Amino acid sequence: QVQLVESGGGLVQAGGSLTLSCAASTTRPTLHTMGWYRQSPGKQRELVAGITWGGSTNYANSVKGRFTISRDNAKNTVYLQMNSLKPEDTAVYYCNFRRNGINTWGQGTQVTVSS
């Protein structure tokens, strides 16, 4: 069973930066996709960014050019560098690990951007 440990959330002013990280505990670190989703009150959880084992990435249009996802396969860790943060980026951010069609979610980390 995969377990995910997230870190890096917090409070930041608009225009600031934060980096989220998510470490996956797995004895079979191959071919899984990792990513970040977010959910704010009253809204559905949405994809922020994803990255495949091979390093292909995709981003929500709202974060393109501001957020960068990366991964360290040796450490089974995915990172989300968030720059030029906006108040509308405020949400709980969830790490996602997907392998063989099975999703595992982190516990979530709060990101709050003040105006």
Side-chain angles (χ1 to χ4, degrees):
Q1 186 174 355
V2 177
Q3 292 188 331
L4 304 175
V5 178
E6 301 160 340
S7 62
L11 173 65
V12 65
Q13 288 188 333
S17 298
L18 282 175
T19 301
L20 306 182
S21 63
C22 173
S25 63
T26 174
T27 58
R28 295 191 293 124
T30 56
L31 303 181
H32 53 271
T33 295
M34 296 187 75
W36 291 94
Y37 288 69
R38 67 186 181 188
Q39 188 169 20
S40 52
K43 294 186 177 181
Q44 289 188 329
R45 190 173 297 188
E46 62 175 359
L47 173 69
V48 177
I51 185 167
T52 66
W53 176 259
S56 297
T57 59
N58 64 299
Y59 295 91
N61 287 334
S62 59
V63 307
K64 284 181 180 177
R66 300 188 297 122
F67 291 10
T68 302
I69 190 169
S70 61
R71 65 188 291 167
D72 183 336
N73 288 339
K75 296 181 179 179
N76 288 322
T77 299
V78 63
Y79 306 94
L80 186 68
Q81 175 67 43
M82 304 184 292
N83 298 326
S84 302
L85 282 160
K86 304 176 181 179
E88 51 264 43
D89 294 318
T90 296
V92 178
Y93 283 69
Y94 295 91
C95 179
N96 173 264
F97 177 106
R98 186 168 73 250
R99 182 169 60 198
N100 297 329
I102 299 173
N103 285 298
T104 301
W105 296 94
Q107 79 280 4
T109 185
Q110 177 70 46
V111 171
T112 302
V113 184
S114 63
S115 56

